[in-house]
Amino acid sequence: MLSPEYHSIASLIIIGLLVLVLITDRFKTSLVFLFGGGALILSGAISAIDFLEGLSNPSIIKIFLLIVITAGINESFDLIGGLNRLFRSVKTPQGFIIRMGSSVALLSAFMNNTPVVSVMIPFVHQWGKNHHISPSKLLIPLSFAAIMGGVITLIGTSTNLLLNGLIQDAGLQPLGFFDFTLPGIGITVLGILAMALIAPKLLGAKDDLVSEIKDNRREYLIELRLIENSQYTGQSVESVGLRNLEGFFLTQIIRENREIAPVPPSEILRQDDVLLFAGDTGQINNLVNRFPGLELAKTNEFQLIENTSYVEAIVAQNSQMDRRNAKEMGFRQRYDAAIIGIHRRGEKLSGKIGSIDLHVGDVLLMVAGPRFLERSSNSGDFIILEEHYKHTEKASGSKWLFGIGTALSVLLSSFGVISFLEALLVILGIQVATKMVYLDLINRVLSLDLLIILIVSLALGDSLISSGGAQILTDSLFNGASHWNHFTLITVVFITTWLLTSFITNVAAVSIMFPLAYSLAISSGISYEAMFLSTAFGASCSFITPFAYQTNLMVLELGKYRFRDFFRIGSIISLIYVAVFLFYIKVFYL
């Protein structure tokens, strides 16, 4: 525990290290934040009690309520069916981007945008294929439209809600629900029109990952083993016929936790050997049928039944599976499925499948039970390559009750009769009463990783302000800022936040920039609202890099994009975004 006079330096060092580690992207984001929070407490920059107060922060509670409410809507309404009807008459990529972008932006203004993009990805991909348009021309516009829609309202993105929580903690008047709306609509309308014009030209046609997997299913790692009393026990690999297989290659044998690779033709097979093959998933049944002494390694663990099916899915961004293996997370019990194959583009995998740490973008081949789609549909952990599941439509009475109750709650909140938090609780109560939301769904969609990130972000902001670290950083970065005019100062704050959010998470960018914006507003006399809006909009300007926002990462692998794809189109959208926002600030605040 450091003396109080060193708390400001400790806060600055911890935040600096946190930013550097996040940029390297070598560790899971929530783990980095957790260690950062622990370091703050150990240094004495923030007390454990103050740190845990984040659990009761209204903004964090609102974020999680919105996540659950959004999941209930996805669970109960046939959004894809509605989209099919909406886009029935669209034939061109420009028309599709305008209509799709407008729909996604509207949804993202009131719903968590990550599940919105997750629901839309299969639809956008299929629409492109049906109209002979490469999905790579459409997926970045999908992500960008969700980001732009999120800045239209206070609840459109968790970044806005987190910032409002920091403002309230500082004892200031929080931003209103529609304080974001006017500049947000301007950015969204011009941004979608620009994407319709430039995206089909700048984003070349590519064989996207979904098509690559479906059309050329290679380099999966498949795990088989010798059955009990197998006729192959005691025979060599070559004599059994496991050499020169069509569509498969025996990469290694795991025997009593020892790896044998490469496998010599003369290697004698033993009871309980695990054989790892790389190859075409379409040949799995042929392989098992051809060699009756072998079985999929998960057969006994996963009770195969008639309605079990093979499912291919991509590990989504922010998935609970990232950097964890199937064994430690209890994959079978959690999802009612077992992984029998892993595909990681550009990398050869080795070792037992259950012990391989999964990464975002991995494609999993699974034996799935009847409850898999129900358990995974709203978890956010998967993007299923083929849609086999149709949502169960609720009775019309339940829909009307939900719609009327939601509209009334939002209206009462808008007029100040009830708080927005109370409105969300009423909406959730209606969903529970109509069985749109249930306990298993809540367990699936609530993320411990997100909770850690949000709580530590609040702690970072508090420690910077209380320790004086924010003032030190402001004096260093904005030396002479007292002589700048207000427009220049707001522009610099916006650009600094924008650069931070482009290379680390937007939540981290807000938590770092809020104390600086607060200090600058005090010293310069600029409107708090203008300075905080600059921070919020800067943190949501997430277009020039794929890792600037989670929806960008969701489409990165699917569209086989490169960094330059995001930079080329993202730079143009960012210039529009910056111009619209600064024009708004100039007209209404300066």
Side-chain angles (χ1 to χ4, degrees):
M1 193 79 69
L2 299 175
S3 300
E5 60 265 27
Y6 296 110
H7 288 172
S8 58
I9 302 299
S11 297
L12 291 172
I13 291 174
I14 290 167
I15 289 173
L17 290 174
L18 184 143
V19 171
L20 289 175
V21 175
L22 286 174
I23 290 174
T24 65
D25 196 33
R26 295 188 60 185
F27 303 97
K28 193 169 183 178
T29 302
S30 58
L31 188 64
V32 176
F33 271 83
L34 185 61
F35 273 99
L40 285 175
I41 294 172
L42 291 175
S43 68
I46 191 169
S47 69
I49 294 175
D50 290 340
F51 181 85
L52 292 175
E53 279 183 358
L55 289 170
S56 61
N57 184 279
S59 294
I60 291 181
I61 296 172
K62 290 172 190 174
I63 290 170
F64 281 91
L65 285 174
L66 284 166
I67 289 172
V68 174
I69 290 169
T70 299
I73 293 171
N74 286 340
E75 178 88 358
S76 305
F77 291 88
D78 185 12
L79 298 181
I80 295 297
L83 290 168
N84 281 323
R85 293 187 288 273
L86 179 64
F87 293 96
R88 187 177 299 157
S89 61
V90 181
K91 304 297 181 186
T92 65
Q94 292 82 3
F96 180 81
I97 289 173
I98 290 174
R99 195 170 295 187
M100 176 271 294
S102 302
S103 304
V104 168
L106 181 61
L107 287 172
S108 295
F110 299 97
M111 297 171 61
N112 187 286
N113 52 19
T114 302
V116 169
V117 172
S118 181
V119 167
M120 286 294 295
I121 282 174
F123 173 78
V124 171
H125 173 268
Q126 193 58 51
W127 187 94
K129 287 301 180 183
N130 290 343
H131 293 81
H132 308 291
I133 298 168
S134 173
S136 63
K137 295 177 180 290
L138 308 172
L139 289 171
I140 280 182
L142 166 63
S143 175
F144 284 7
I147 295 170
M148 289 185 285
V151 301
I152 293 176
T153 67
L154 173 65
I155 65 171
T157 171
S158 58
T159 309
N160 293 349
L161 286 169
L162 174 63
L163 176 64
N164 232 25
L166 292 168
I167 294 171
Q168 288 178 300
D169 283 351
L172 301 174
Q173 179 68 29
L175 296 171
F177 189 89
F178 294 109
D179 285 344
F180 304 82
T181 301
L182 192 56
I185 289 176
I187 287 167
T188 302
V189 170
L190 293 178
I192 290 173
L193 289 175
M195 287 195 297
L197 292 173
I198 64 176
K201 298 176 182 177
L202 292 183
L203 298 173
K206 301 180 182 183
D207 292 328
D208 59 289
L209 180 61
V210 175
S211 298
E212 179 184 284
I213 293 164
K214 289 180 179 178
D215 300 337
N216 190 20
R217 299 179 178 184
R218 294 178 182 170
E219 294 307 317
Y220 266 90
L221 186 68
I222 308 295
E223 185 177 324
L224 285 83
R225 67 183 177 194
L226 272 67
I227 64 174
E228 188 176 353
N229 300 320
S230 170
Q231 63 267 42
Y232 305 139
T233 302
Q235 297 187 45
S236 69
V237 168
E238 188 170 38
S239 64
V240 170
L242 295 177
R243 302 281 294 178
N244 302 317
L245 293 170
E246 182 180 353
F248 269 100
F249 174 71
L250 179 60
T251 61
Q252 60 185 307
I253 295 175
I254 297 179
R255 179 179 297 154
E256 297 176 351
N257 297 321
R258 181 170 62 91
E259 296 185 11
I260 302 172
V263 181
S266 58
E267 183 66 36
I268 303 299
L269 298 176
R270 299 182 186 177
Q271 185 70 47
D272 296 326
D273 276 356
V274 175
L275 283 60
L276 297 173
F277 293 85
D280 183 355
T281 59
Q283 300 294 325
I284 290 178
N285 287 331
N286 293 338
L287 181 67
V288 175
N289 293 335
R290 180 178 170 184
F291 298 96
L294 298 176
E295 67 178 357
L296 289 168
K298 302 294 181 181
T299 300
N300 291 334
E301 172 190 334
F302 193 101
Q303 298 299 318
L304 291 173
I305 55 178
E306 290 184 2
N307 59 345
T308 300
S309 59
Y310 293 121
V311 174
E312 284 181 295
I314 298 172
V315 177
Q317 176 63 20
N318 281 345
S319 169
Q320 299 178 60
M321 298 181 287
D322 187 30
R323 316 297 170 96
R324 300 174 67 191
N325 62 55
K327 185 176 181 180
E328 72 180 43
M329 77 176 78
F331 191 95
R332 162 68 180 87
Q333 291 74 25
R334 183 188 295 263
Y335 301 108
D336 192 34
I339 302 172
I340 60 172
I342 302 176
H343 168 91
R344 183 173 299 162
R345 188 158 59 96
E347 186 174 337
K348 302 289 185 182
L349 300 175
S350 63
K352 295 185 93 172
I353 284 178
S355 301
I356 295 175
D357 283 348
L358 303 175
H359 292 179
V360 170
D362 283 354
V363 186
L364 309 181
L365 178 68
M366 295 172 281
V367 178
R371 294 182 298 278
F372 168 74
L373 287 167
E374 177 191 346
R375 292 184 179 181
S376 66
S377 59
N378 285 295
S379 68
D381 291 334
F382 300 99
I383 298 172
I384 298 172
L385 295 180
E386 294 187 39
E387 183 69 31
H388 297 292
Y389 175 65
K390 296 188 180 296
H391 293 286
T392 302
E393 284 285 315
K394 295 297 179 185
S396 297
S398 297
K399 291 182 182 178
W400 277 105
L401 178 60
F402 171 71
I404 294 171
T406 299
L408 184 60
S409 299
V410 172
L411 189 65
L412 291 173
S413 175
S414 301
F415 285 101
V417 179
I418 60 175
S419 69
F420 182 61
L421 178 59
E422 290 169 334
L424 290 178
L425 289 171
V426 170
I427 294 170
L428 181 61
I430 294 171
Q431 286 186 318
V432 172
T434 56
K435 299 183 179 179
M436 291 176 63
V437 167
Y438 44 91
L439 186 59
D440 187 46
L441 175 65
I442 295 173
N443 289 334
R444 294 201 312 263
V445 300
L446 292 186
S447 168
L448 178 61
D449 292 336
L450 178 60
L451 181 63
I452 290 170
I453 292 170
L454 292 174
I455 290 176
V456 175
S457 295
L458 290 173
L460 288 171
D462 288 345
S463 67
L464 272 179
I465 293 173
S466 61
S467 68
Q471 192 61 52
I472 294 174
L473 200 55
T474 302
D475 294 341
S476 302
L477 294 178
F478 298 91
N479 186 29
S482 58
H483 303 294
W484 299 352
N485 63 55
H486 288 182
F487 183 75
T488 300
L489 195 55
I490 283 180
T491 301
V492 172
V493 169
F494 179 95
I495 292 174
T496 304
T497 312
W498 173 24
L499 292 175
L500 275 175
T501 204
S502 296
F503 296 97
I504 61 175
T505 66
N506 51 0
V507 170
V510 164
S511 64
I512 291 169
M513 286 303 299
F514 168 74
L516 304 185
Y518 182 31
S519 297
L520 287 170
I522 293 174
S523 61
S524 66
I526 296 178
S527 160
Y528 286 112
E529 188 173 312
M531 191 63 81
F532 294 147
L533 283 175
S534 179
T535 305
F537 276 85
S540 292
C541 190
S542 311
F543 307 107
I544 61 174
T545 64
F547 35 84
Y549 197 67
Q550 54 199 11
T551 58
N552 288 347
L553 288 168
M554 289 171 69
V555 302
L556 174 66
E557 286 291 323
L558 292 169
K560 294 182 72 175
Y561 296 119
R562 296 184 180 181
F563 183 95
R564 67 170 179 261
D565 293 314
F566 282 89
F567 187 80
R568 283 196 301 175
I569 187 171
S571 297
I572 297 172
I573 301 302
S574 295
L575 288 174
I576 294 171
Y577 187 109
V578 173
V580 171
F581 176 74
L582 293 180
F583 175 78
Y584 170 78
I585 289 293
K586 183 73 174 175
V587 171
F588 289 93
Y589 288 96
L590 301 178

